[in-house]
Amino acid sequence: MSSFVIRSVRADEWRAAKELRLAALRDPVAHLAFLETYEEAVGRPDSFWQERVRRAAEGETGAQQIIAEGPDGEWVGGLVVFVEEPGDVDWAGFAVEEKQGHIVAVFVLPEHRGCGLTDVLFDAALEWAWEAAGVERVRLIVHQDNARAQRFYRRVGFVPSGVTVPLSGSDDSELEFVLERELHP
């Protein structure tokens, strides 16, 4: 584990961020984990990726993309945590009632799973959310059938809130999991 560097991305690293996202979208469970397809993402112009990374780069206050970088410089995993403000409307059309963090785009390359890397990424995301963003609650949304992700989220302290988000065009839904700051030291 000590051979990995956990850090926020820099705005000029959009190409590496794009490659990690495309790898995530090629994962066998991508259809359960992400709300876009590989085909959609690969067709986006460079300007899209540049702006996406810039908005979540080191020093930004509204979001952070945190990555795990291997000793050879390869990005082997990452996630994004962004801040939702009261009065905002989230991606599913629900009103945001309190300032909160929202973790999305969680992914670790298969050959690096099971070594604790996701735990370290979550620790970094929660530290940023609690300290830099000043939120008291962090949430994430997980597909009802993504048992692997649900087990991990429960293990690191997230619990189902009871909120269910129906996915348009199917009978599938996603579940909101939350972690309150007072429950996480």
Side-chain angles (χ1 to χ4, degrees), residues 33-77:
F34 307 112
L35 295 177
E36 75 177 328
T37 66
Y38 175 85
E39 292 74 23
E40 291 167 337
V42 78
R44 297 188 191 282
D46 289 349
S47 59
F48 169 85
W49 296 101
Q50 292 164 351
E51 179 62 16
R52 182 176 179 155
V53 171
R54 186 201 59 73
R55 288 191 329 258
E58 183 177 57
E60 291 297 319
T61 58
Q64 286 293 285
Q65 181 173 359
I66 300 169
I67 56 102
E69 184 176 18
D72 59 357
E74 177 189 20
W75 289 15
V76 300

Side-chain angles (χ1 to χ4, degrees), residues 84 87-97 139 141 163-166:
E84 297 174 320
D88 288 350
V89 175
D90 71 10
W91 65 272
F94 294 114
V96 174
E97 296 178 6
R139 73 177 185 147
I141 309 293
V163 172
T164 302
V165 181

Side-chain angles (χ1 to χ4, degrees), residues 20-150:
L20 185 62
R21 179 63 173 180
L22 294 177
L25 293 171
R26 288 189 296 266
D27 190 89
V29 297
H31 67 287
L32 296 178
F34 307 112
L35 295 177
E36 75 177 328
T37 66
Y38 175 85
E39 292 74 23
E40 291 167 337
V42 78
R44 297 188 191 282
D46 289 349
S47 59
F48 169 85
W49 296 101
Q50 292 164 351
E51 179 62 16
R52 182 176 179 155
V53 171
R54 186 201 59 73
R55 288 191 329 258
E58 183 177 57
E60 291 297 319
T61 58
Q64 286 293 285
Q65 181 173 359
I66 300 169
I67 56 102
E69 184 176 18
D72 59 357
E74 177 189 20
W75 289 15
V76 300
L79 55 73
V80 176
V81 58
F82 62 91
V83 177
E84 297 174 320
E85 297 285 350
D88 288 350
V89 175
D90 71 10
W91 65 272
F94 294 114
V96 174
E97 296 178 6
E98 62 185 290
K99 183 176 181 179
Q100 61 191 6
H102 189 149
I103 295 176
V104 298
V106 178
F107 178 72
V108 172
L109 291 171
E111 59 270 26
H112 295 282
R113 293 178 186 158
C115 69
L117 203 50
T118 311
D119 294 75
V120 177
L121 286 165
F122 263 71
D123 288 346
L126 292 170
E127 180 180 339
W128 182 84
W130 303 146
E131 303 305 324
V135 303
E136 296 297 320
R137 175 183 194 258
V138 175
R139 73 177 185 147
L140 51 84
I141 309 293
V142 60
H143 193 279
Q144 66 187 13
D145 295 333
N146 195 341
R148 180 182 78 194
Q150 288 183 43

